[in-house]
Amino acid sequence: MTSATVGVRRGRAKGSPLARRRRRVFGPFLAPALILYTVLFMVPTGYSFYASFTSWDGFSNPRWKGTLNYDHLTHDPAFKDAFFNTLKLLFGCGIFLFVLSFAFMLMLREMKGRRFIQGFIFLPHIVSGVALAAFWDFLLNHDGMLNKGLHSFGLGPVDWLKPQWQFNAILLAIVWINTGYYVTILMAGVDRIPPYYYEEAKLAGTNSWQRFRHITLPMSWDVVGTAAVLWTIGTVKIFEFILAFSGSQGNLPTTNQWTSAMYVYGETIGGTSPIYDFGRACAGAVVTLVAVVVVVVVLRRVTSRDRLEL
């Protein structure tokens, strides 16, 4: 191999003059954002990972205890409930949410006044979770609006909030809160598709399902994948609605209604025994984080497609 060949290969490795110039221009602009991201997100995440191996009450110095926190999680019924409930939110609630959002999107796409209806169903997403929890309780409690409606038809009251149904009521509320948000995202993706695709498909005699399967879904697949990732990340942050809806007089909900976020709160300042156990809470957060990363990676691989030119 000649020295000229080596020089050419090194030159290609460094990129073209235009690429080198871009790196010199973008570097100063990217540096502040990277520094902020590292300080505000990467450092706390790294410290949480370290704290998950310690016994720490948040006041005294952390004491190293190895993997005991993780061993505890494998036997902790509260963590098992919280992790299983988070999976129910992620997959069970998520599938129902996306099916409903697609149905709304297809129904609204060619409807007059769709902007008004879209804004109406989007409204719960911008209202405080505490206010929504109060409304949901007013709707479903024994003397609530739903039972009064049943009474007007001569039907007896139903205990919608009995313990075995209460988390299902939460799942239903989460779907109600988020449907408008995901309809808006999917609608934005579908609106990019040129109308002549649908016109030509109609002339070819296709039905609605065939147009959805062969035009709408393939051409908005990247938006669907992004929405699925947003939902996955959002499920681990669902907290205030459950606390306001199921908690009472400053007490936490029963552990069978906990999610991962609720578990982290309960193990730190939620009044469980022992209180202020930041190490155990961090271990729960790390396990949840790893699970979310795995799900996101799988989702990205499953939903990755070659981008279609519109």
Side-chain angles (χ1 to χ4, degrees):
M1 181 181 297
T2 66
S3 58
T5 305
V6 173
V8 169
R9 290 187 175 179
R10 286 178 179 174
R12 289 176 179 172
K14 291 179 181 178
S16 65
L18 179 59
R20 291 197 294 273
R21 185 179 300 175
R22 283 179 175 173
R23 283 198 291 271
R24 286 197 297 271
V25 172
F26 291 151
F29 288 99
L30 285 176
L34 288 175
I35 292 171
L36 282 176
Y37 182 78
T38 301
V39 172
L40 296 179
F41 295 100
M42 297 306 295
V43 172
T45 302
Y47 192 79
S48 296
F49 184 73
Y50 160 74
S52 69
F53 293 99
T54 66
S55 175
W56 184 35
D57 59 6
F59 300 102
S60 57
N61 292 327
R63 290 182 292 104
W64 184 263
K65 57 187 297 189
T67 60
L68 290 180
N69 285 329
Y70 292 95
D71 292 339
H72 173 82
L73 293 182
T74 61
H75 303 95
D76 187 359
F79 179 76
K80 291 178 180 177
D81 285 343
F83 193 75
F84 182 64
N85 285 340
T86 303
L87 292 180
K88 282 202 287 189
L89 269 171
L90 174 58
F91 293 107
C93 195
I95 291 172
F96 184 55
L97 171 66
F98 274 80
V99 170
L100 189 62
S101 298
F102 268 116
F104 267 111
M105 183 267 294
L106 294 174
M107 185 177 64
L108 294 175
R109 193 167 185 272
E110 298 178 358
M111 180 184 290
K112 291 182 179 178
R114 69 170 189 170
R115 297 296 180 191
F116 173 78
I117 299 175
Q118 190 177 337
F120 182 76
I121 61 175
F122 185 82
L123 189 62
H125 190 74
I126 59 176
V127 177
S128 164
V130 177
L132 294 173
F135 170 75
W136 206 242
D137 181 70
F138 171 71
L139 181 70
L140 297 179
N141 68 40
H142 191 269
D143 298 323
M145 195 162 55
L146 193 54
N147 275 339
K148 287 181 180 177
L150 290 177
H151 180 71
S152 65
F153 290 100
L155 301 175
V158 178
D159 186 9
W160 303 104
L161 298 180
K162 58 185 179 182
Q164 59 268 39
W165 287 4
Q166 199 157 11
F167 193 72
N168 292 330
I170 292 173
L171 296 179
L172 191 60
I174 298 300
V175 171
W176 167 59
I177 294 169
N178 289 281
T179 296
Y181 177 69
Y182 286 96
V183 167
T184 302
I185 293 177
L186 296 177
M187 190 77 81
V190 172
D191 283 347
R192 300 179 309 163
I193 303 174
Y196 58 79
Y197 281 103
Y198 292 99
E199 293 167 0
E200 293 180 2
K202 285 181 181 177
L203 291 175
T206 59
N207 56 34
S208 299
W209 167 248
Q210 290 171 326
R211 290 193 292 275
F212 171 76
R213 181 183 174 188
H214 297 292
I215 299 177
T216 304
L217 197 56
M219 290 192 168
S220 60
W221 194 250
D222 54 339
V223 178
V224 175
T226 303
V229 171
L230 287 175
W231 170 250
T232 302
I233 297 171
T235 52
V236 298
K237 298 190 292 185
I238 294 174
F239 171 75
E240 72 274 13
F241 180 88
I242 299 175
L243 180 63
F245 179 67
S246 300
S248 60
Q249 298 179 347
N251 296 321
L252 292 179
T254 54
T255 57
N256 63 351
Q257 297 175 54
W258 283 16
T259 59
S260 296
M262 186 68 69
Y263 180 85
V264 172
Y265 179 80
E267 289 296 319
T268 51
I269 58 177
T272 56
S273 179
I275 60 173
Y276 305 127
D277 196 335
F278 284 78
R280 191 179 297 172
C282 288
V286 168
V287 171
T288 305
L289 175 65
V290 171
V292 168
V293 169
V294 170
V295 173
V296 168
V297 170
V298 172
L299 269 176
R300 296 303 297 171
R301 291 186 66 86
V302 170
T303 59
S304 64
R305 299 284 191 280
D306 292 333
R307 186 180 179 84
L308 297 176
E309 296 296 333
L310 301 178

